[in-house]
Amino acid sequence: MFSENKKARKETSSPSKEQNKISQGTTFKGDIQAQGGFRVEGTLEGTLITTGKVVIGKSGIIKGEMKCENADVEGSFSGKLKVNSALLLKSTAQIEGEVITGKLSIEPGADFNATCAMKSSVKNLNDDKRSKEKQGKTA
């Protein structure tokens, strides 16, 4: 009786809660689309698109394009990186290319050689500039 309930729960588990992994020593060339989180300890050359979180470990290397919800980077990324929410760069991270993110946190020691656009900050700066202009006109 109880064993049937456990099997039913395992079969209906959401794929977005699953963790995908490219292990150290593995090289993958191509495009990946996933619903769950992703951990990269090996090398990925191509595109990674996921609705989950991506972790690039110390030995991880991504060359290409990546789109995700959140990302923690300890390894190397080269290309175009779009993170909807928060990007955390650990002290061992090496980033080159183009970055678009909502929030950015960089630990001392990280190499960040990229153009960067902050989605929420750009809107706030423009709104602040407009409000200052309006205040100057009404004064």
Side-chain angles (χ1 to χ4, degrees), residues 4-15:
E4 290 176 17
N5 288 339
K6 287 181 184 177
K7 287 180 184 177
R9 275 188 260 149
K10 286 183 181 178
E11 291 174 7
T12 60
S13 67
S14 171

Side-chain angles (χ1 to χ4, degrees), residues 14-76:
S14 171
S16 64
K17 293 181 182 179
E18 298 294 323
Q19 174 101 19
N20 299 292
K21 184 175 181 179
I22 296 177
S23 300
Q24 187 172 359
T26 301
T27 299
F28 184 91
K29 294 182 181 182
D31 299 337
I32 299 173
Q33 288 190 325
Q35 295 296 314
F38 225 95
R39 183 167 188 93
V40 179
E41 294 289 346
T43 302
L44 170 63
E45 295 179 18
T47 302
L48 172 59
I49 300 172
T50 182
T51 56
K53 179 178 182 177
V54 175
V55 177
I56 302 175
K58 284 186 181 181
S59 61
I61 300 169
I62 295 181
K63 296 176 184 176
E65 185 174 351
M66 183 170 86
K67 295 179 183 178
C68 61
E69 188 61 32
N70 294 296
D72 291 353
V73 180
E74 294 179 273
S76 175

Side-chain angles (χ1 to χ4, degrees), residues 73-76 88-95 109-112:
V73 180
E74 294 179 273
S76 175
L88 171 62
L89 304 181
K90 301 286 188 168
S91 61
T92 56
Q94 297 178 348
I95 304 293
D111 290 333
F112 187 72

